[in-house]
Amino acid sequence: MGYPQTPNTITAFNTTTMPHVLLSLGGSFEFKRAPWADRLVGDDETNAFPKIEGQGVSALSYTQERLGLFVGDTFVYSETSQPYNMFRTTVTNVLDTQPIELEITDEAVSNIEHVSLHEGNILLFAEKAQYILDLSEGFTFDKVSLSQSTRTEFSSSCKPIALNADTFFCFPRGDSVGLKQFSVDKNTLKLRTYDISAHVPRYITKEPYLITGVPSEDMLLIHTTDERDGCFVYRFVDKNGERVQSSFSKLTLGGLVLHSYVIDSLVYFLIRRGGVTHIERWNPAVGQFNSAEGVDFPTLLDHRVTDADATLSYDGGTDITTFTLPTDIESGAELAICTRGANAGTLLATLDGDGSASYGVSGDLTGQELWIGLTFATCIELTRPTVMKPTGGGGQVAVTGGNFQVLYGRLTVNDCFPFSVVVSQKYRDPYTYTMKETDLGVLPTIPATPNDGEYRFPVYGRSDKVTVTLKNNTPYPSSWLSLAWEGRYTKTSTTL
């Protein structure tokens, strides 16, 4: 039973300042005080109030049926299976289920900003240091252990995220943002931090406010206040504990992106356009298409609808088909009409959006199977060509001090529709080359079909002064597999 309460002592939290709950009532929500339990036994010495009383809670965590509240450098986890009880239920016995309160005794830590689960343990993020709460021996007050993991800065405005077996977080890097990863070193089995954005140190803009993970695609979406019309995308491929491939890119959505979340491998964006807030869905899976259409390639359009979703009418006197879409199209957006079904692969028309939902196009399109949607461009700026030489340890190092004149690029493509290559050089106008079916040794077809092969394009420029960009602004895919350079390398000096 425990000792009774000492008379005239405070035994309850001030629930008006404690964390509240938001309850779903099936179509509506209720925001109310949480049912925080009173202290039923003991006193301020034998069953003291947690140090969270009367202070702002900076982070919450729910782990192994315990609710954790973090305040400054102190945190407390509730009684097991009783998330609103922060007091011992007996002071005569020590129970495994009783609440756990710990304090970080480190001068560098003034406030625990965020908490993340990692491989069954708990990572604590302060502004300049990170700690790990080890639960491997059990989540009881006498078995948990707290130790410093790393000492590195992180962006407190953006909560870290656990994805598969790793934890990712942003950190400030001057006027930009970097991305780091917590992983277990396969050799030492210790937790280590890796800067996975070191090769693109100024790519992600500040200030990060959200990271969304897509576990099925090994993908992160990084949202920043400087790029509110979209987000940065990090994709990676791991094999046998090694990262064999990764990339950073920018996904531009238009409007004001407020939030993103994942349900069943699909990403949902909360976007404000023209004063109206929309929920838009994106399937990030590579190579997804509707096999029921009888074709093996997708038609890539945003806000895509079919002819059945629109209202079409044909005027024989003007030879104009007028179609009305379910929603208005923003001014400046490009609207495309493409064939679908067995005849998919033909772009029939493109139109400029004018803020309305009704548009006209020449010819009779009634009775045809159509895709109607907004076009978008895919752009990849290639790393500048570099001559490499082997090292004694089996690696490679860049060769410096010479002149590498790039003559041609050879791009291997797969399931590819026509696209463009833009070659830009200092002090010269950019030149655009358009890859056509005949460049791959294939005759054009109607409707168009994807092709494989190698596309060779001229460059004729010094490697340090040339930029090559691959572009595709059509509704059809281009799969770029590999690139090789042809050129002449000349040494400018020789060491004697």
Side-chain angles (χ1 to χ4, degrees), residues 20-72:
H20 285 42
V21 295
L22 184 65
L23 298 178
S24 174
L25 302 179
S28 64
F29 293 90
E30 180 183 1
F31 183 68
K32 66 177 188 178
R33 300 179 188 180
W36 296 102
D38 296 345
R39 184 176 64 187
L40 301 179
V41 298
D43 53 27
D44 289 343
E45 292 186 5
T46 59
N47 197 5
F49 269 75
K51 293 182 180 180
I52 61 172
E53 169 72 3
Q55 302 186 58
V57 175
S58 59
L60 296 170
S61 171
Y62 189 77
T63 307
Q64 296 187 23
E65 299 187 67
R66 291 180 184 265
L67 176 64
L69 304 181
F70 294 77
V71 175

Side-chain angles (χ1 to χ4, degrees), residues 35-218:
W36 296 102
D38 296 345
R39 184 176 64 187
L40 301 179
V41 298
D43 53 27
D44 289 343
E45 292 186 5
T46 59
N47 197 5
F49 269 75
K51 293 182 180 180
I52 61 172
E53 169 72 3
Q55 302 186 58
V57 175
S58 59
L60 296 170
S61 171
Y62 189 77
T63 307
Q64 296 187 23
E65 299 187 67
R66 291 180 184 265
L67 176 64
L69 304 181
F70 294 77
V71 175
D73 57 3
T74 301
F75 58 94
V76 57
Y77 274 92
S78 70
E79 179 188 7
T80 302
S81 302
Q82 299 295 327
Y84 301 115
N85 181 33
M86 298 295 171
F87 296 106
R88 298 173 63 181
T89 56
T90 174
V91 293
T92 59
N93 295 304
V94 176
L95 306 179
D96 288 343
T97 58
Q98 71 184 40
I100 301 169
E101 184 174 5
L102 292 173
E103 182 178 356
I104 298 177
T105 57
D106 188 339
E107 294 181 357
V109 176
S110 59
N111 196 38
I112 300 170
E113 301 283 356
H114 293 293
V115 182
S116 177
L117 294 179
H118 183 93
E119 294 287 272
N121 298 315
I122 302 173
L123 288 176
L124 313 181
F125 287 81
E127 185 177 1
K128 295 183 179 180
Q130 293 73 47
Y131 294 80
I132 184 167
L133 188 63
D134 190 348
L135 309 182
S136 59
E137 298 297 324
F139 199 4
T140 63
F141 84 100
D142 60 335
K143 292 181 179 178
V144 296
S145 62
L146 181 68
S147 61
Q148 181 176 315
S149 172
T150 54
R151 190 177 290 274
T152 181
E153 288 188 295
F154 95 108
S155 299
S156 60
S157 60
C158 184
K159 183 178 180 179
I161 185 171
L163 185 69
N164 299 329
D166 302 310
T167 298
F168 299 85
F169 65 97
C170 292
F171 68 96
R173 182 182 267 144
D175 292 334
S176 56
V177 173
L179 186 65
K180 286 188 176 182
Q181 170 184 334
F182 271 118
S183 296
V184 177
D185 188 291
K186 69 176 185 179
N187 297 316
T188 64
L189 299 181
K190 292 183 178 180
L191 199 62
R192 292 187 56 187
T193 304
Y194 302 89
D195 183 357
I196 55 178
S197 60
H199 60 296
V200 285
R202 287 180 290 275
Y203 187 68
I204 305 176
T205 59
K206 62 178 187 181
E207 178 76 38
Y209 64 90
L210 174 68
I211 303 177
T212 300
V214 188
S216 61
E217 296 298 313
D218 286 337

